[in-house]
C-alpha cells in the first residue's frame, strides 16, 4: 500500500522535519520500520545488557560491602528477569510505542535499583560507585536507541532519580553533589543532542529509500504500461504470459482481442485528441470489467488484448459479450456514423488448454476471430478454434 506520494516525500525533505515528525501516513510507516528494526535486536541487547549489568556484581562486592545482599537481590532477582519479561511482552506487541516504553523502563529501573539499594550505604566509595549510571545512560541512548522523545524522558527521569537518591544517601557534600549534577546534566544534554541528529539522519535515510523505491516502481510501471491507456504494453505481455504457461498443461487459457469499430473514421471526424480520449475510456472500461479475470494489454493502435488464465471458451465468450455490451453502454458519440451512433467494439475469442497451444497460437486464432466479427457487421463477438502448432512466429515482437 502506498503511504505517500513523491510530492509528499519531497515536501518532507524540503521541510527538514526539524521536529522529528512526518505527516501521519509517513509517520506510521516510519514507526513500523523503526519497531521492526529495534525489536529484532531486543533479545540480543537483553542478553548483552543484563550480562554487563550483572557483571557489576564484582564492584558491589568490593565497593559496597555493607549493602551487598540488597544489591545482589535487585540485580539478579528483579532487573534480570524483568529485562527478559519486558522483551517477551514487546515481541507480543511489536509497536514503536511499546519499544520506547521498554527502553525507558530499562533505563530508569536499571539506574534506580542499585542506587535505591545503596541509599543506606556508608561506604567511602559511594562517590565512585554512583558513576555506574553513566553506563546506563550510554546503553540507553547508543544501544537501545528509542525515538527522541523517549530518550529525553528517559534521560531526564533517570537524572532526577539519580540526584534524589544521592541526596537521600547524604554522603556527598554540597560541592561533590553539584559536581555530580553538573557532570550528569552535561552528559545527558550531549547524549540527547546526538540522539536527535541520529534520528534525523535515520528519518532522512527512510525518506530517501522510500523515494528511491517509488521512483523505481514508477520507472518499472512506465516500462510495462502503455502511456496513453495505463494498460500493460506488448513487452509486459511476453513476461506475464511466461508465468501463465508455467501452470498445469491441462489448465485452460483464453485470449480476447477487441478493436474499436470505425476508429479511423472517429479520428477523422472528432480529431486525434478526442480519439485518444476515446481509447482511454474504452481501455478503462476493459480494465475495470476484466481485472478480476485476467490482464489487459494495449496490443496496438485501438486494438486491445485480454489474457484470461483459467478461462475456458464458454467463460471467455460470456465475458467478451458482457464487455461488448458495457462498451456500447458507455454511449460515446460517434458523429461519423448515422445520427445517434455510438462507439462500439468487435471481439475475437480463442481458448485452449496450455498444453495444446502457446500464446502465439491463441493470439493468431483470436485475431482471425476478430476479423470474422468485423466482416459480420462489427459490434459482435466471434470465436475461432485454435489450430496449433503455429506456422509463423514473431507476432509479439516489438
Amino acid at each position: 500500500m502506498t503511504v505517500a506520494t513523491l510530492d509528499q516525500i519531497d515536501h518532507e525533505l524540503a521541510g527538514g522535519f526539524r521536529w522529528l515528525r512526518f505527516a501521519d501516513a509517513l509517520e506510521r510507516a516510519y514507526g513500523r520500520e523503526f519497531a521492526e528494526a529495534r525489536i529484532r535486536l531486543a533479545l540480543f541487547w537483553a542478553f548483552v545488557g543484563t550480562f554487563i549489568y550483572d557483571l557489576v556484581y564484582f564492584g558491589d562486592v568490593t565497593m559496597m560491602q555493607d549493602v551487598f545482599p540488597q544489591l545482589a537481590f535487585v540485580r539478579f532477582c528483579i532487573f534480570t528477569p524483568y529485562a527478559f519479561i519486558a522483551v517477551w511482552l514487546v515481541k507480543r506487541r511489536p509497536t514503536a510505542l511499546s519499544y520506547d516504553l521498554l527502553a525507558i523502563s530499562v533505563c530508569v529501573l536499571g539506574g534506580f535499583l542499585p542506587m535505591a539499594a545503596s541509599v543506606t550505604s556508608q561506604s567511602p566509595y559511594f562517590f565512585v560507585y554512583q558513576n555506574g549510571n553513566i553506563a546506563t545512560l550510554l546503553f540507553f541512548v547508543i544501544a537501545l536507541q528509542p525515538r527522541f522523545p523517549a530518550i529525553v524522558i528517559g534521560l531526564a527521569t533517570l537524572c532526577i532519580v539519580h540526584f534524589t537518591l544521592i541526596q537521600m544517601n547524604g554522603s556527598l557534600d554540597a560541592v561533590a553533589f553539584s559536581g555530580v549534577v553538573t557532570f550528569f546534566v552535561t552528559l545527558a544534554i550531549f547524549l540527547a543532542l546526538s540522539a536527535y541528529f541520529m534520528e534525523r539522519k535515520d528519518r532522512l535515510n527512510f525518506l530517501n529509500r522510500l523515494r528511491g523505491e517509488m521512483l523505481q516502481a514508477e520507472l518499472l510501471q512506465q516500462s510495462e504500461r502503455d502511456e496513453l491507456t495505463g494498460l500493460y504494453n506488448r513487452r509486459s505481455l511476453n513476461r506475464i504470459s511466461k508465468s501463465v504457461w508455467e501452470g498445469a498443461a491441462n489448465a485452460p487459457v483464453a485470449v480476447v482481442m477487441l478493436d474499436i469499430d470505425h476508429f479511423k473514421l472517429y479520428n477523422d471526424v472528432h480529431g486525434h485528441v478526442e480519439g485518444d480520449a476515446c481509447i482511454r475510456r474504452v481501455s478503462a472500461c476493459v480494465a475495470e470489467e476484466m481485472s478480476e479475470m485476467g490482464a489487459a494489454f494495449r496490443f496496438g493502435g485501438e486494438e486491445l488484448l485480454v489474457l484470461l488464465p483459467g478461462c475456458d471458451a464458454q467463460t471467455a465468450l460470456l465475458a467478451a459479450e458482457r464487455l461488448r455490451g458495457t462498451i456500447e453502454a458507455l454511449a460515446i458519440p460517434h458523429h461519423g456514423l448515422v445520427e445517434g451512433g455510438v462507439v462500439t467494439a468487435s471481439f475475437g475469442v480463442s481458448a485452449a488448454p496450455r498444453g495444446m497451444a502457446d500464446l502465439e497460437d491463441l493470439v493468431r486464432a483470436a485475431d482471425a476471430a476478430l476479423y470474422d466479427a468485423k466482416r459480420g457487421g462489427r459490434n459482435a463477438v466471434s470465436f475461432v478454434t485454435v489450430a496449433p502448432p503455429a506456422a509463423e512466429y514473431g507476432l509479439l515482437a516489438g
Side-chain angles (χ1 to χ4, degrees):
M1 182 177 65
T2 303
V3 299
T5 64
L6 278 172
D7 287 341
Q8 289 171 327
I9 293 176
D10 289 339
H11 176 74
E12 294 285 357
L13 288 169
F17 45 91
R18 294 180 180 84
W19 297 105
L20 299 182
R21 177 79 189 183
F22 298 139
D24 289 344
L26 272 172
E27 187 65 27
R28 286 192 294 271
Y30 174 78
R32 287 192 295 270
E33 185 174 293
F34 166 87
E36 181 182 349
R38 296 297 190 276
I39 294 174
R40 189 186 307 122
L41 294 173
L43 188 60
F44 169 79
W45 285 122
F47 277 108
V48 172
T50 54
F51 174 75
I52 296 173
Y53 190 81
D54 293 341
L55 202 61
V56 183
Y57 162 87
F58 296 103
D60 297 341
V61 172
T62 56
M63 289 189 289
M64 309 295 287
Q65 292 182 359
D66 57 339
V67 291
F68 171 71
Q70 296 94 309
L71 287 170
F73 177 79
V74 298
R75 288 191 190 280
F76 296 106
C77 299
I78 298 179
F79 183 81
T80 297
Y82 171 79
F84 289 99
I85 292 172
V87 169
W88 177 76
L89 290 173
V90 169
K91 283 184 172 291
R92 287 177 60 87
R93 189 177 179 83
T95 66
L97 177 60
S98 64
Y99 181 80
D100 286 343
L101 293 175
L102 164 69
I104 291 172
S105 66
V106 166
C107 169
V108 174
L109 191 65
F112 167 77
L113 289 175
M115 290 299 295
S118 304
V119 162
T120 59
S121 175
Q122 298 302 312
S123 171
Y125 302 108
F126 180 78
F127 177 79
V128 177
Y129 185 79
Q130 59 85 31
N131 286 326
N133 268 342
I134 296 173
T136 304
L137 295 177
L138 293 174
F139 182 79
F140 173 59
V141 175
I142 297 173
L144 297 183
Q145 294 183 35
R147 291 176 296 180
F148 181 69
I151 284 178
V152 172
I153 292 171
L155 290 176
T157 304
L158 182 56
C159 283
I160 292 170
V161 167
H162 188 72
F163 302 151
T164 301
L165 293 174
I166 287 176
Q167 276 195 321
M168 290 174 63
N169 176 266
S171 62
L172 301 186
D173 59 28
V175 175
F177 179 73
S178 65
V180 170
V181 170
T182 301
F183 176 79
F184 271 82
V185 169
T186 302
L187 177 63
I189 291 172
F190 277 118
L191 287 175
L193 287 173
S194 67
Y196 173 85
F197 288 109
M198 280 194 299
E199 182 172 333
R200 195 161 181 269
K201 183 178 180 181
D202 191 40
R203 286 175 175 266
L204 179 63
N205 290 338
F206 168 77
L207 287 179
N208 283 327
R209 186 177 64 257
L210 186 60
R211 187 175 188 275
E213 290 172 355
M214 293 180 70
L215 285 172
Q216 186 177 10
E218 189 175 277
L219 288 173
L220 180 61
Q221 178 174 342
Q222 289 175 356
S223 70
E224 295 203 337
R225 296 278 182 172
D226 175 66
E227 185 176 358
L228 176 64
T229 65
L231 301 180
Y232 287 112
N233 57 25
R234 295 274 287 274
R235 183 183 297 109
S236 301
L237 178 57
N238 289 315
R239 179 183 62 81
I240 293 174
S241 66
K242 289 180 181 177
S243 63
V244 171
W245 260 263
E246 288 174 356
N250 60 344
V253 60
V255 164
V256 176
M257 291 191 71
L258 63 139
D259 187 85
I260 300 175
D261 295 329
H262 303 291
F263 187 73
K264 182 179 184 303
L265 179 60
Y266 186 95
N267 265 339
D268 292 340
V269 174
H270 293 265
H272 289 282
V273 173
E274 288 297 320
D276 287 348
C278 175
I279 292 177
R280 280 195 294 268
R281 288 193 64 185
V282 172
S283 298
C285 178
V286 172
E288 183 178 355
E289 288 291 321
M290 309 299 277
S291 61
E292 295 184 2
M293 298 182 66
F297 306 82
R298 187 181 184 192
F299 201 66
E302 71 277 15
E303 196 172 49
L304 309 179
L305 181 147
V306 184
L307 183 61
L308 301 172
C311 282
D312 57 21
Q314 183 178 2
T315 304
L317 279 168
L318 290 173
E321 179 58 36
R322 185 173 62 251
L323 182 56
R324 183 204 62 77
T326 304
I327 292 173
E328 185 176 16
L330 292 175
I332 303 171
H334 193 323
H335 298 317
L337 304 177
V338 295
E339 186 175 350
V342 297
V343 170
T344 60
S346 298
F347 291 76
V349 179
S350 64
R354 291 186 181 95
M356 291 181 58
D358 60 18
L359 181 61
E360 295 272 350
D361 300 324
L362 289 171
V363 170
R364 182 174 288 103
D367 193 47
L370 174 61
Y371 280 101
D372 285 347
K374 285 186 172 295
R375 283 193 296 267
R378 295 183 171 86
N379 192 22
V381 177
S382 179
F383 178 83
V384 167
T385 303
V386 177
E392 298 177 358
Y393 294 89
L395 180 61
L396 301 180

